[in-house]
Amino acid sequence: MTLAFDGDRLLAAVDVARAALVEDGQHPGAHLESTPEGDWAVAHYFEADLAGYRGWQWCVVLAGAPGTDEITVSELVLLPGQGSLLAPNWVPWNERVVAGDLSPGDVLAADPGDPRLVPNQIDNGDEFALSSDDDDPDDIGQIAGELGLGRRRLLSPDGRDDAAQRWHDGEFGPRSEMAAAAAYSCASCGFYLPLAGALRPAFGVCANEYSADGHVVAADYGCGAHSDVPAPSGGGSPAYDAYDDGVLEIVSAGADATS
């Protein structure tokens, strides 16, 4: 499309576009190109020298109207250019975290709607049934299972004490590095499954796949993935101030534009 006289003036109005950026407090670099955006609009592109925005460009859209020599600054935006540094697609934290990522001092809050947790007033069906026969109530099966009925041999008090001491002094005991850095203990965690019998007050099994999943943990052990740990506020300390480009529509410049 051949632009009329006013359109040609817009193509040549590099100084007007640069002045608009300077007035906005920016420091544009070299002029890169001028691209017609219709009969009465032209986009001017300049190098952008902003920390953290390598390869980005300033774009200033100038507009005119038939019958007037006035040039209006229509839009001023920062756009990515060829080979510019772009942020990767955002992925929610709960889709990035995998088992084994948790380390001492880390905080891993469970999502409020985490299907693995229910309020404590809800019957979660956590019971042991000796059989599924209708004439054997579940509560009787629970008692029979905890007493060890049906097994030929049971753990002696000495054997139980030895195991308790190992677990207490081990990786998932209250003296471990992870427990020392935790604000909450396992005894109050929704992922904590208490053991049966005499060891019930002191030990349980962790059911959190991101923490000590499947391991016997002490009731006073703890980690940053406790079910009640509050989520981080999201505040941070970026090295540079971010330029607000979140509301911009990214468009490609014409390949046959003249500068």
Side-chain angles (χ1 to χ4, degrees):
M1 177 183 296
T2 301
L3 296 180
F5 175 73
D6 280 4
D8 293 332
R9 290 185 65 252
L10 292 174
L11 283 170
V14 177
D15 292 342
V16 176
R18 182 182 295 276
L21 286 169
V22 173
E23 184 178 351
D24 192 59
Q26 310 304 332
H27 302 281
H31 183 260
L32 299 175
E33 62 179 340
S34 302
T35 304
E37 299 291 341
D39 290 341
W40 306 103
V42 168
H44 289 271
Y45 294 87
F46 298 85
E47 290 180 349
D49 185 18
L50 290 174
Y53 287 84
R54 185 182 67 204
W56 287 58
Q57 304 172 359
W58 287 112
C59 175
V60 181
V61 179
L62 303 180
T68 177
D69 292 336
E70 183 178 356
I71 295 178
T72 301
V73 178
S74 177
E75 191 173 12
L76 189 157
V77 293
L78 182 66
L79 299 176
Q82 183 102 23
S84 60
L85 181 63
L86 298 175
N89 293 332
W90 183 78
V91 179
W93 69 265
N94 56 348
E95 296 180 16
R96 298 194 303 268
V97 176
V98 296
D101 284 350
L102 191 69
S103 59
D106 288 346
V107 173
L108 181 60
D111 189 87
D114 194 326
R116 300 173 299 168
L117 297 168
V118 294
N120 61 0
Q121 71 269 20
I122 295 179
D123 180 10
N124 64 357
D126 184 15
E127 58 188 11
F128 174 84
L130 191 61
S131 73
S132 59
D133 297 338
D134 293 338
D135 57 352
D136 185 10
D138 287 344
D139 56 344
I140 301 301
Q142 176 75 39
I143 296 172
E146 293 187 357
L147 291 177
L149 300 183
R151 290 181 289 158
R152 296 185 60 184
R153 307 182 71 182
L154 299 176
L155 191 65
S156 70
D158 288 342
R160 184 174 62 241
D161 292 345
D162 287 344
Q165 192 65 54
R166 288 195 311 273
W167 298 339
H168 182 274
D169 297 338
E171 179 183 357
F172 303 107
R175 299 175 184 171
S176 66
E177 184 180 1
M178 182 75 80
Y184 301 89
S185 64
C186 291
S188 59
C189 181
F191 295 110
Y192 180 74
L193 302 173
L195 295 185
L199 294 180
R200 182 182 181 91
F203 297 97
V205 176
C206 177
N208 190 338
E209 62 181 307
Y210 301 116
S211 184
D213 188 34
H215 291 279
V216 174
V217 296
D220 45 358
Y221 174 73
C223 72
H226 190 282
S227 59
D228 296 335
V229 71
S233 62
S237 301
Y240 306 102
D241 292 333
Y243 187 85
D244 185 11
D245 54 63
V247 297
L248 305 180
E249 179 182 0
I250 300 177
V251 296
S252 59
D256 58 348
T258 59
S259 57

